[in-house]
């Protein structure tokens, strides 16, 4: 039984591939939960700290700004430490950031957002390596689409859990819950780490230029245009998840629980859409055409 190395010719036992997919989804979901947990309770946080609810926009920007920088370096960390170990490191960082977010000051929330973002940025490179290794090429669009459902799943967790926990125990309990989930995820990954990280290369040079891949994307026109398009999609997505709860509570007079439920509903539909369009792309063999449509 051979592992797939990215050429689509290798195969791996279905249970192993499903386990990889399930755990990478869970890692992505926990990271997304951590990134969105404060946005899901933004009115409560802003009232407690005495800042405008628009403050959540800066908090989300810090998380994803740090994630963008972190992802540039994560590609070099994965072969050095192993994909599974890198996922564990990301979960520990996410847990630490969420724990720091329980301290009710603006300064600590800034630091917490940066730490969460650094951990978040490490999730995709490590998951991509694992999925490329363990999944067949002819199912890759669908598999990667399913893996990306971890993002809206994290949004569902944020929309349903964060307001409920915040109203019952205080808003600090929401990031504390996200911290607990991320820490438990890091511990659970230790079970499979040795078998998944057998190909890690400890001698990989730490001084490799992390911006080389960025320059490569910018030099190749199709990659440059695709990246710009994805940036626009990402802006739309983050505006929705970042401000929906605040909009519904402050402007439409929804309760925090009602707004959180609606946030969860949008994320459920987003998860379904990711799988649907990945399946369509595989069926048509034209991922770019489906993206344009």
């Amino acid at each position: 039984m051979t592992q797939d190395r990215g050429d689509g010719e290798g195969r791996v036992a279905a249970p192993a591939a499903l386990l990889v997919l399930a755990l990478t989804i869970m890692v992505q979901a926990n990271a997304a939960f951590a990134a969105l947990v404060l946005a899901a309770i933004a009115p409560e946080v802003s009232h407690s700290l005495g800042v405008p609810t628009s403050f959540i926009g800066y908090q989300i920007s810090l998380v994803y700004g740090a994630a963008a920088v972190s992802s540039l370096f994560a590609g070099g960390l994965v072969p050095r430490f192993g994909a599974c170990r890198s996922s564990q490191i990301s979960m520990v960082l996410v847990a630490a950031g969420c724990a720091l977010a329980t301290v009710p000051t603006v300064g600590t929330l800034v630091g917490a957002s940066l730490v969460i973002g650094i951990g978040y940025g490490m999730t995709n490179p490590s998951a991509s390596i694992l999925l490329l290794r363990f999944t067949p090429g002819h199912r890759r669009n669908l598999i990667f689409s399913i893996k990306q459902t971890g993002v809206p799943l994290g949004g569902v967790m944020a929309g349903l859990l964060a307001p409920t926990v915040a109203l019952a125990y205080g808003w600090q309990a929401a990031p504390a819950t996200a911290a607990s989930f991320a820490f438990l995820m890091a511990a659970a990954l230790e079970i499979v780490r040795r078998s998944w990280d057998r190909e890690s290369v400890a001698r990989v040079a730490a001084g490799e230029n992390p911006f080389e891949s960025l320059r490569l994307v910018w030099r190749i026109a199709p990659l440059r245009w695709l990246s710009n398009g994805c940036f626009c999609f990402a802006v739309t997505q983050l505006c929705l998840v970042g401000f929906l709860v605040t909009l519904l509570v402050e402007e439409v007079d929804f309760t925090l629980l009602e707004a959180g439920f609606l946030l969860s509903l949008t994320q459920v539909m987003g998860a379904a859409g990711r799988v649907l369009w990945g399946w369509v792309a595989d069926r048509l063999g034209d991922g770019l055409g489906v993206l344009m449509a």
Side-chain angles (χ1 to χ4, degrees):
M1 190 72 67
T2 60
Q3 292 178 343
D4 182 57
R5 309 264 179 207
D7 56 6
E9 297 177 356
R11 296 291 183 269
V12 70
L18 289 175
L19 179 61
V20 171
L21 179 60
L23 290 181
T24 53
I25 288 174
M26 291 171 66
V27 167
Q28 192 81 57
N30 278 289
F33 179 25
L36 300 176
V37 65
L38 293 181
I41 55 171
E44 292 291 313
V45 177
S46 65
H47 294 160
S48 173
L49 299 182
V51 296
T53 51
S54 60
F55 173 79
I56 196 62
Y58 299 105
Q59 189 267 333
I60 288 285
S61 297
L62 287 173
V63 170
Y64 284 91
V69 175
S70 172
S71 64
L72 294 176
F73 294 86
L77 294 177
V78 171
R80 182 176 180 84
F81 296 108
C84 191
R85 178 65 83 193
S86 297
S87 294
Q88 287 180 295
I89 294 172
S90 74
M91 288 292 94
V92 170
L93 287 170
V94 165
C98 288
L100 184 61
T102 62
V103 181
T105 68
V106 173
T108 53
L109 285 184
V110 169
S113 300
L114 293 174
V115 175
I116 292 170
I118 292 171
Y120 190 105
M122 296 177 64
T123 58
N124 266 324
S126 55
S128 297
I129 291 296
L130 288 170
L131 291 174
L132 284 170
R133 187 186 305 163
F134 285 97
T135 59
H138 70 290
R139 288 286 184 263
R140 199 149 288 154
N141 284 323
L142 177 60
I143 293 297
F144 272 76
S145 294
I146 294 174
K147 190 274 292 184
Q148 280 302 110
T149 61
V151 176
L153 177 58
V156 171
M157 294 167 64
L160 292 181
L161 289 178
T164 303
V165 171
L167 291 176
Y169 303 105
W171 71 262
Q172 291 101 322
T177 300
S180 300
F181 283 7
F183 181 78
L184 290 174
M185 189 71 238
L189 287 172
E190 186 62 25
I191 299 173
V192 294
R193 186 189 62 80
R194 289 186 181 274
S195 60
W196 287 6
D197 283 353
R198 285 179 298 183
E199 297 185 4
S200 61
V201 183
R203 64 178 178 275
V204 172
E208 291 180 351
N209 188 350
F211 298 100
E212 181 57 36
S213 59
L214 192 62
R215 285 199 293 264
L216 177 65
V217 168
W218 192 254
R219 285 199 302 265
I220 301 175
L223 291 179
R224 182 170 66 248
W225 283 105
L226 183 62
S227 297
N228 288 334
C230 290
F231 174 79
C232 295
F233 285 133
V235 168
T236 304
Q237 178 187 15
L238 293 181
C239 285
L240 172 66
V241 299
F243 289 103
L244 181 61
V245 169
T246 296
L247 171 69
L248 293 175
V249 172
E250 298 287 327
E251 303 294 334
V252 193
D253 294 329
F254 276 40
T255 67
L256 190 63
L257 289 178
E258 290 171 339
F261 174 78
L262 193 57
L263 172 63
S264 297
L265 184 60
T266 65
Q267 298 304 293
V268 168
M269 299 308 296
R274 289 168 193 260
V275 177
L276 170 64
W277 295 120
W279 176 81
V280 171
D282 274 334
R283 294 285 292 180
L284 299 180
D286 184 8
L288 183 59
V290 171
L291 182 63
M292 293 173 64

